[in-house]
Amino acid sequence: MRGGNIMNNNNHKNKGGRPSKTIKRNYRLRVACSAIEVTVIKSKARNVQLTVSEFLREAALKSQIVSRQKTLPKEVLTFTARLNHLAANINSMAYKNNRLEDFSLLERATFKSLAGQVKELAQQIKNYIS
């Protein structure tokens, strides 16, 4: 055995430097902030003795954000659908009226029915609210 490295079992030398991390953070995110927001974020990070990256990462991963999307109750969605249907019917009748066409007996009955449906919906909305 010639003189050499006794620890040659690993086939690689220790190059020194910082040891590699288990979880590599090699993805970058860009966040647009105002000057005031940057100042506040840096100050908050400094107060808890974290880097800005650590602070933002912890804030994002450990916080719970309330969704901006509001789900409407089924009753409200049903009302909306009925109102849209009524609006479409009334719009087609108004279009015919604007062309100065006469309404048939069936169309006049439809108007009366639509008026009743609108009144019924208004009453249901009042009942739902109170």
Side-chain angles (χ1 to χ4, degrees):
M1 179 169 165
R2 289 198 304 220
N5 193 348
I6 297 173
M7 300 179 73
N8 202 6
N9 298 342
N10 292 341
N11 288 340
H12 68 278
K13 289 185 176 180
N14 183 357
K15 296 181 182 178
R18 179 181 289 182
S20 60
K21 294 186 177 183
T22 324
I23 300 173
K24 293 181 181 180
R25 291 193 170 96
N26 52 356
Y27 293 93
R28 302 268 183 234
L29 298 177
R30 290 180 53 149
V31 179
C33 298
S34 69
I36 293 172
E37 291 168 333
V38 169
T39 304
V40 169
I41 291 169
K42 285 181 177 180
S43 173
K44 286 184 174 189
R46 198 176 320 110
N47 287 342
V48 292
Q49 298 176 343
L50 294 173
T51 65
V52 172
S53 291
E54 291 168 330
F55 176 78
L56 292 175
R57 199 169 31 251
E58 282 200 34
L61 295 174
K62 293 183 180 179
S63 68
Q64 289 189 346
I65 306 296
V66 177
S67 174
R68 289 184 183 176
Q69 182 180 3
K70 296 178 182 175
T71 55
L72 296 173
K74 183 181 175 185
E75 297 85 2
V76 174
L77 296 174
T78 303
F79 285 142
T80 304
R82 285 186 65 192
L83 285 172
N84 286 334
H85 180 72
L86 288 172
N89 285 338
I90 292 169
N91 190 44
S92 66
M93 297 292 197
Y95 179 76
K96 185 173 183 175
N97 184 53
N98 289 338
R99 291 185 313 197
L100 301 175
E101 294 180 22
D102 290 332
F103 295 109
S104 68
L105 288 175
L106 178 61
E107 290 168 330
R108 291 171 196 253
T110 302
F111 273 140
K112 193 170 187 176
S113 172
L114 288 174
Q117 290 178 46
V118 170
K119 286 180 183 176
E120 178 190 334
L121 267 179
Q123 186 60 49
Q124 288 178 356
I125 291 169
K126 286 180 187 176
N127 294 342
Y128 181 80
I129 291 173
S130 54

